[in-house]
Amino acid sequence: MRTEQDSMGEVKVADDALHGASTQRAVDNFPVSGHRMPVAFIRALGLVKYATATANRSLELLPADKAELIAKAALEIHEGKHDGEFPVDVFQTGSGTSTHMNANEVIANRCSQLAGEDLGSKKPVHPNDDCNLGQSSNDVMPTTLHLSVVLALRDTLKPGLGKLQKALEKKADDFKDIAKIGRTHLMDATPLTLGQEFSGYAAQVAKGIERLERAESALAELAIGGTAVGTGINTHQDFAARVVEAINDKTGLNFREAANHFEAQAGRDDCVEVAGQLSAVAASLSKIANDIRLLGSGPRCGLGELSLPATQPGSSIMPGKVNPVMSESLVQTSIYVQGLCGVVANCGREGQFELNATIPLIAHSLHEAIACLGKAAGLFADKCVAGIEANADKIEEHLRQSLMLVTALTPHLGYDQAAKVAKQAHEEGKTLREVVLDQELMDEEELEKALDPQQML
């Protein structure tokens, strides 16, 4: 162990640890869940610290040698080289100061290594005076939250949804000529094609991707430059603009400085909005997964209109049973994601005065939701949708048995007479065709044309 010191005194830290006294205090104070801050958040924090060092150098607030060391160490964090040096629990100080100081200490100690100085010496770089120059946890952590979530939406969730959209569009094309019975209220309705049904699923996912783009737009403002309460105390007036420019150069994104720094730090309405978009995506994916498993139910005593890929044995007691496990996985993921989004909504109302003090929990919830949903969507595309086959015989059987084809007879018979035909057919176990011809309500040629499902699409 080595002895490090912060404003409260001495703390013992492991000899080889890059983090320091402030981090160790947080580890000791918050052994709550075992859930560390999301890796994606930590890596984005490294990028923010790189950008702040770059800005401070360009403003000649940091000597070039210090700025270069800080930028190098910060980029190492961004590249994932020091993930293990961030042990602080999610349930920590609500501003995320513990994780922010964790980053400052790792950077400072890494700079010491690079300069040939002892760990904990704060030479040549000080974690507060240099790494934190012109910054506060209260603007750095909201900035990191926005940056990390936008990167996760772009790099994790969008690709998963895109893969699922393409898989569904392919099935919509494959099934475009298969007429089937529609269902509303879980009851028989008028016909459509299986391709049309799948085109609706594909469109839901496409709208989900559009929702993510709106979510990214909601997070475009960065709080950096506001420091403690939004006034920008102890920071250069051009600092925020330089930081944002450096972030955009590295990511290719289009962030901008917050129009109002007081709102940017006191409220997390933007994250609540993003949670709403994610909840909507989760709802649509659950709907799709449930429809597909219901259409594939059986194989003999259910609807049986689809054959789903068999991925694993379905029962420990019933030999040969195969269950729609990929649908079930996606449904459970969607429920979990909506729960996480509810957490974010609750966090959003916990801002008091000049700061929302639930930033670590918001970060955990959004990143967990994005990671799970992106992975589950991609797996559902690969392991379920891609291998779906249509059971044409069963689909045709259901179509011919449906009484709701009677809808096409309404222009010929009127609503009331058509309803009587449908009820009589149901009660007597006859087809619509048999009842209409028995009662000589229409001639056979006209009836056949009216009952042709292709004419109802």
Side-chain angles (χ1 to χ4, degrees):
M1 306 293 285
R2 69 175 188 266
T3 301
E4 284 216 13
Q5 190 163 348
D6 61 11
S7 61
M8 295 183 68
E10 294 184 345
V11 179
K12 293 290 185 181
V13 182
D15 273 338
D16 59 350
L18 290 181
H19 57 260
S22 184
T23 302
Q24 190 59 50
R25 289 189 191 279
V27 170
D28 295 339
N29 286 334
F30 308 118
V32 178
S33 68
H35 297 303
R36 297 184 177 190
M37 289 294 288
V39 169
F41 185 91
I42 297 301
R43 294 180 182 179
L45 179 55
L47 181 54
V48 171
K49 302 306 286 190
Y50 159 81
T52 58
T54 301
N56 279 324
R57 178 180 179 177
S58 71
L59 294 168
E60 299 182 350
L61 300 174
L62 267 180
D65 55 346
K66 284 189 178 185
E68 287 176 7
L69 284 172
I70 293 172
K72 178 177 174 57
L75 281 181
E76 289 180 355
I77 293 173
H78 177 58
E79 292 162 359
K81 294 179 180 178
H82 303 298
D83 291 346
E85 292 290 343
F86 290 84
V88 182
D89 201 277
V90 167
F91 299 99
Q92 54 168 285
T93 172
S95 62
T97 299
S98 297
T99 292
H100 184 207
M101 280 307 302
N102 191 165
N104 287 333
E105 289 176 341
V106 169
I107 291 170
N109 276 320
R110 179 61 180 140
C111 289
S112 296
Q113 281 186 329
L114 293 170
E117 300 285 352
D118 291 336
L119 293 179
S121 67
K122 301 181 182 178
K123 297 178 181 178
V125 168
H126 192 283
N128 298 87
D129 295 337
D130 299 319
C131 297
N132 199 55
L133 180 62
Q135 302 153 65
S136 163
S137 300
N138 298 350
D139 63 345
V140 168
M141 298 307 271
T143 296
T144 302
L145 178 59
H146 282 212
L147 171 60
S148 65
V149 171
V150 169
L151 290 174
L153 290 170
R154 183 190 72 179
D155 299 338
T156 300
L157 186 46
K158 273 189 177 179
L161 291 182
K163 179 183 286 188
L164 180 55
Q165 180 190 354
K166 289 180 181 178
L168 290 166
E169 286 174 344
K170 183 179 186 305
K171 290 301 170 182
D173 185 62
D174 291 345
F175 300 151
K176 65 179 181 296
D177 296 325
I178 301 176
K180 58 159 289 179
I181 199 65
R183 296 178 178 89
T184 58
H185 301 270
L186 298 181
M187 307 298 283
D188 301 347
T190 55
L192 75 167
T193 68
L194 187 58
Q196 288 171 328
E197 196 165 39
F198 269 76
S199 76
Y201 303 150
Q204 279 188 279
V205 178
K207 283 192 170 185
I209 295 172
E210 292 174 4
R211 289 186 174 97
L212 300 190
E213 292 169 355
R214 293 198 291 274
E216 291 176 6
S217 177
L219 297 172
E221 288 194 341
L222 300 182
I224 197 72
T227 61
V229 297
T231 61
I233 190 171
N234 289 357
T235 195
H236 192 284
Q237 62 181 4
D238 296 327
F239 176 74
R242 301 285 180 96
V243 173
V244 172
E245 181 182 5
I247 289 173
N248 288 341
D249 286 345
K250 272 289 183 184
T251 62
L253 296 168
N254 293 300
F255 290 103
R256 61 184 182 274
E257 181 182 354
N260 185 298
H261 282 277
F262 307 101
E263 181 275 335
Q265 292 178 204
R268 295 270 61 83
D269 301 343
D270 35 31
C271 291
V272 174
E273 180 179 349
V274 171
Q277 303 288 14
L278 291 175
S279 184
V281 172
S284 64
L285 295 188
S286 185
K287 194 271 189 207
I288 293 165
N290 271 321
D291 274 12
I292 286 175
R293 69 170 167 171
L294 287 170
L295 289 170
S297 60
R300 293 190 176 180
C301 301
L303 295 179
E305 294 186 353
L306 299 178
S307 289
L308 310 185
T311 55
Q312 62 187 54
S315 173
S316 62
I317 190 173
M318 293 176 280
K321 194 173 194 294
V322 178
N323 296 329
V325 293
M326 299 313 299
S327 285
E328 292 166 359
S329 174
L330 184 53
V331 167
Q332 290 177 88
T333 302
S334 298
I335 293 169
Y336 180 45
V337 164
Q338 289 192 316
L340 291 166
C341 292
V343 169
V344 176
N346 286 330
C347 287
R349 67 189 187 199
E350 289 301 314
Q352 291 88 31
F353 304 121
E354 278 65 60
L355 182 69
N356 180 291
T358 62
I359 290 172
L361 182 54
I362 292 175
H364 168 78
S365 299
L366 289 179
H367 279 287
E368 179 78 351
I370 290 166
C372 289
L373 209 55
K375 187 68 172 179
L379 289 170
F380 189 67
D382 290 339
K383 293 181 177 291
C384 183
V385 177
I388 290 175
E389 296 179 357
N391 294 329
D393 291 344
K394 179 62 72 172
I395 290 172
E396 177 68 17
E397 177 187 342
H398 288 162
L399 182 62
R400 292 301 174 186
Q401 288 180 347
S402 173
L403 298 176
M404 288 304 99
L405 298 182
V406 75
T407 305
L409 302 183
T410 303
H412 303 276
L413 304 179
Y415 186 94
D416 292 340
Q417 182 63 53
K420 290 179 181 178
V421 167
K423 290 179 180 179
Q424 182 177 345
H426 181 59
E427 290 170 357
E428 297 178 2
K430 294 181 177 180
T431 65
L432 296 171
R433 182 179 183 279
E434 289 172 335
V435 173
V436 171
L437 292 178
D438 286 349
Q439 296 187 16
E440 299 181 348
L441 298 174
M442 296 173 63
D443 66 64
E444 188 169 359
E445 182 179 351
E446 182 185 28
L447 177 61
E448 292 296 337
K449 183 177 180 181
L451 290 178
D452 181 4
Q454 295 296 327
Q455 303 301 314
M456 305 182 201
L457 303 179

